[in-house]
Amino acid sequence: MAISEEDVRKIAKLARLDLSEDEVRLYGGQLLKIIESMAELESLDASSVPPTASVLGLANVLREDEPRPFDDGDALLANAPEREGPYYKVPKVLE
Amino acid sequence: MRLHELSAARIAGGVRSGEFSAQEVLKAFLSRIERDEPRVRAFLALFGEQALEAARAVDAKRAAGDPLGALAGVPVALKDNILVKGVETTCASKILRGHRSAYDAHVVERLRAADAVPLGKTNMDEFAMGSSTENSAFFKTANPWDTGRVPGGSSGGSAAAVAAGFAPLALGSDTGGSIRQPAAFCGVVGLKPTYGLVSRYGLVAFASSLDQIGPLSRTVEDAALALSVIAGHDARDTTSATAAPEAALKSGRGLSGLRVGLPKEYFVSGLDAEVEKSVREAIAALERLGARAVEISLPHTRYALSSYYIIAPSEASSNLARFDGVRYGLRAGEAASLEQLYERTRGQGFGPEVKRRIMLGTYALSSGYYDAYYAKAQRVRTLIARDFERVFAESVDLIAAPTTPTPPFRLGEKLDDPLSMYLSDVFTIPSNMAGNASLSIPCGLTAGGLPIGLQLIGGRFKEGLLLGAARALEAERPFPRLEAAA
């Protein structure tokens, strides 16, 4: 088991995190230590055990898809770093 | 009368009867804050005029002869991952600086309906990831019992605020121990309700299958009172339990005849000697009060920490994807593409522990590793939950154990060693994995005067039983108070 700097860069790319070279080295070492500490899980055979996603054992909660007004839409939009009218503004995606 | 020393229940009673006003109560706590906040630094923001208005409204309601709610005039401190309309919610992260909530969390709606007075936002580990509140992007909070030590985390600001007498009541959130561990470190009561008992609507998500909001207070009665206000079904949280509160809130019968399990996996080497001594004394007191202590085994306890540190970061890596510089908070400038905007904003906006956990979660969920890590951890989670289900079905009513392996540690002591920091939650994490009700109450002080917490764990929706037992113990052995120690 090893995590190369290239692996760290790949994970950071998947996570959309811009990391400095120092961070790549730091997190590489720390992630490796954390993942090594999880090795004891390997000694446990849980293959016949069902996974738990929710402790309440809930099934899907369904409801009618009915639009409801939100009384302060502008307060939501006001948090955007850049907006134009009722839209969020982002760098150009399509040429 | 020293209003800031009164319990929430006593304050609400006094405000309802007209013995004192909500504004007088607020003033008393604000003057405590003015005196001691510079050395504790529990709050990221105080509500000022908004709090005063809420207190005035409570007094006006009484003057008009309207009935007042269960928390009439009680100032409540809120962890900064709980939305309050019109004020900043940052999760102690640079990426959310300037973000103003457009609506109230369900728990805040409930507090307002009960005539409580929201007081301010408390400091926390960034996005609730940490055990010392040192991961706040803004500043560190000190433990009021010893300002060279951490208050615990991630709800460290809420615990410190209650311990320092800044508020009789606070709300925190607990994903792996983030209410109970700081409660133990600050010598206050901290309750993590059963998963699903309190709506997460308006709580900024960290790990959605584990997160739960709960109260921190100085008395067990106040924790029960706060729970009765915030618990209940809410259709806006699809994991909100239906019809559970009645059973959960049914008051317990004290300790007589209760079977209390002592899990041998929680009394192990690595447990601080003073913590163990104090916890064993508290258990002896439980027995004097009529409980019967029996040793039990929760054999999968040793796997809880590892599986938690796969599941929680995996969920976090997904939940925190929404912080991308488009809809709220920080946006890194000069990005040539949308992708670069995401990467730079997140690179600049998140602190080290948050980045570490996003990386860990992304790794565990990535192709080729999913089965070995995430799927395996979810299976192990089932085994951990079954351990608890078995002992509660077969042999005990509740479980007693230390809340933390050590007393509060020094500021900076574990900051550069993530694994050692993670171990601080080794006794609290299993209850999140199983969705149990669990609380921490003060059970003594070290020779050096640092608080120690006793953890009581019950099955799902057994809050009433836990609170009843905790109340009996509190009556027998009053909690050490900071005033008395100072």
Side-chain angles (χ1 to χ4, degrees):
Chain A
M1 186 58 175
I3 298 183
S4 67
E5 289 186 7
E6 194 188 332
D7 293 333
V8 175
R9 285 196 193 89
K10 191 179 144 205
I11 301 165
K13 186 79 188 165
L14 288 170
R16 300 288 184 268
L17 282 174
D18 191 21
L19 298 186
S20 69
E21 286 306 306
D22 285 349
E23 285 179 309
V24 168
R25 274 190 296 276
L26 176 72
Y27 296 141
Q30 290 177 336
L31 286 178
L32 182 61
K33 267 177 124 175
I34 294 167
I35 289 163
E36 279 175 349
S37 79
M38 293 167 175
E40 65 181 343
L41 285 181
E42 287 166 24
S43 66
L44 181 67
D45 179 11
S47 54
S48 62
V49 180
T52 293
S54 162
V55 289
L56 294 178
L58 291 169
N60 282 334
V61 177
L62 300 175
R63 59 172 170 77
E64 291 305 312
D65 186 17
E66 289 167 347
R68 271 169 302 172
F70 183 77
D71 60 9
D72 204 358
D74 210 57
L76 290 173
L77 280 161
N79 281 309
E82 265 194 274
R83 61 185 279 205
E84 204 170 292
Y87 302 104
Y88 296 116
K89 200 168 172 182
V90 295
K92 203 168 183 178
V93 180
L94 298 168
E95 287 305 321
Chain B
M1 187 179 340
R2 294 159 67 87
L3 290 174
H4 70 268
E5 288 181 359
L6 299 182
S7 71
R10 176 75 179 79
I11 289 169
V15 168
R16 277 196 299 266
S17 71
E19 189 183 347
F20 38 76
S21 72
Q23 290 170 78
E24 284 167 346
V25 171
L26 178 62
K27 219 173 115 190
F29 282 99
L30 288 176
S31 80
R32 285 292 287 192
I33 292 170
E34 195 177 346
R35 196 190 80 172
D36 291 337
E37 172 68 355
R39 68 184 186 95
V40 177
R41 309 200 75 190
F43 286 99
L44 286 172
L46 283 163
F47 293 160
E49 190 52 37
Q50 209 193 53
L52 196 60
E53 260 173 49
R56 272 197 216 110
V58 173
D59 291 336
K61 220 168 146 179
R62 184 174 188 281
D66 295 341
L68 290 176
L71 292 173
V74 175
V76 183
L78 299 161
K79 187 177 183 178
D80 198 32
N81 55 356
I82 296 171
L83 304 191
V84 175
K85 185 173 173 146
V87 304
E88 228 180 314
T89 299
T90 68
C91 296
S93 179
K94 280 192 289 186
I95 210 164
L96 275 176
R97 187 177 242 162
H99 161 258
R100 285 184 187 279
S101 307
Y103 58 94
D104 278 339
H106 176 259
V107 291
V108 174
E109 292 173 350
R110 288 292 187 91
L111 289 175
R112 292 194 202 280
D115 294 312
V117 175
L119 181 63
K121 291 305 220 33
T122 57
N123 201 14
M124 57 187 281
D125 287 297
E126 184 178 1
F127 285 105
M129 297 176 189
S131 309
S132 68
T133 309
E134 292 168 292
N135 293 331
S136 167
F138 303 127
F139 51 79
K140 297 183 194 343
T141 295
N143 190 315
W145 293 77
D146 176 348
T147 52
R149 291 179 188 266
V150 302
S154 66
S155 311
S158 287
V162 171
F166 298 162
L169 187 64
L171 294 186
S173 64
D174 191 315
T175 304
S178 280
I179 289 173
R180 291 160 288 158
Q181 187 259 17
F185 277 14
C186 289
V188 301
V189 178
L191 169 68
K192 183 203 87 72
T194 304
Y195 183 80
L197 183 57
V198 177
S199 168
R200 295 182 293 108
Y201 178 77
L203 172 72
V204 179
F206 159 16
S208 306
S209 79
L210 301 161
D211 298 342
Q212 194 59 193
I213 299 173
L216 297 102
S217 58
R218 277 180 298 193
T219 69
V220 176
E221 183 187 18
D222 284 357
L225 182 64
L227 183 68
S228 72
V229 168
I230 63 174
H233 179 67
D234 173 24
R236 297 167 301 185
D237 170 2
T238 53
T239 59
S240 172
T242 47
E246 293 73 22
L249 298 174
K250 214 175 108 197
S251 162
R253 52 187 166 125
L255 282 159
S256 184
L258 283 191
R259 299 159 303 167
V260 177
L262 312 181
K264 62 179 187 192
E265 291 82 4
Y266 288 54
F267 293 89
V268 285
S269 64
L271 177 60
D272 176 273
E274 282 188 292
V275 171
E276 173 160 12
K277 182 167 175 283
S278 179
V279 166
R280 293 221 184 256
E281 282 169 10
I283 291 162
L286 291 171
E287 291 184 285
R288 282 200 304 279
L289 291 162
R292 193 159 52 83
V294 289
E295 190 181 272
I296 57 168
S297 175
L298 301 166
H300 296 94
T301 300
R302 57 181 285 217
Y303 304 106
L305 193 68
S306 295
S307 46
Y308 173 86
Y309 273 98
I310 293 168
I311 291 172
S314 294
E315 293 186 19
S317 72
S318 170
N319 273 325
L320 271 59
R322 74 193 58 176
F323 302 109
D324 57 6
V326 174
R327 285 158 298 167
Y328 14 60
L330 181 79
R331 167 178 286 195
E334 303 300 313
S337 66
L338 189 58
E339 193 169 20
Q340 203 176 60
L341 175 83
Y342 296 156
E343 289 172 351
R344 288 193 179 171
T345 298
R346 292 161 63 79
Q348 290 172 23
F350 290 133
E353 182 62 25
V354 175
K355 285 182 185 168
R356 220 162 11 239
R357 296 210 198 178
I358 289 175
M359 301 272 292
L360 191 55
T362 305
Y363 177 78
L365 291 175
S366 63
S367 149
Y369 297 103
Y370 181 92
D371 285 331
Y373 290 107
Y374 187 70
K376 178 74 176 273
Q378 282 198 316
R379 291 178 201 281
V380 176
R381 183 174 184 181
T382 305
L383 293 171
I384 293 163
R386 282 182 184 172
D387 280 355
F388 284 107
E389 285 159 10
R390 182 179 49 80
V391 297
F392 288 130
E394 289 174 5
S395 52
V396 299
D397 300 295
L398 57 88
I399 293 167
T403 307
T404 61
T406 68
F409 43 89
R410 291 187 186 286
L411 283 156
E413 191 180 322
K414 296 177 193 275
L415 201 49
D416 297 324
D417 184 357
L419 270 176
S420 139
M421 186 76 89
Y422 296 171
L423 277 170
S424 191
D425 293 325
V426 67
F427 297 145
T428 46
I429 279 173
S431 285
N432 298 83
M433 296 291 269
N436 291 328
S438 177
L439 58 78
S440 179
I441 57 171
C443 70
L445 299 175
T446 65
L450 299 171
I452 296 168
L454 170 76
Q455 185 178 203
L456 297 178
I457 303 168
R460 294 169 198 145
F461 305 110
K462 294 291 185 192
E463 278 77 359
L465 184 76
L466 283 188
L467 289 161
R471 220 164 144 170
L473 195 59
E474 178 186 29
E476 167 83 2
R477 307 168 85 235
F479 301 155
R481 290 286 287 263
L482 186 52
E483 263 83 9

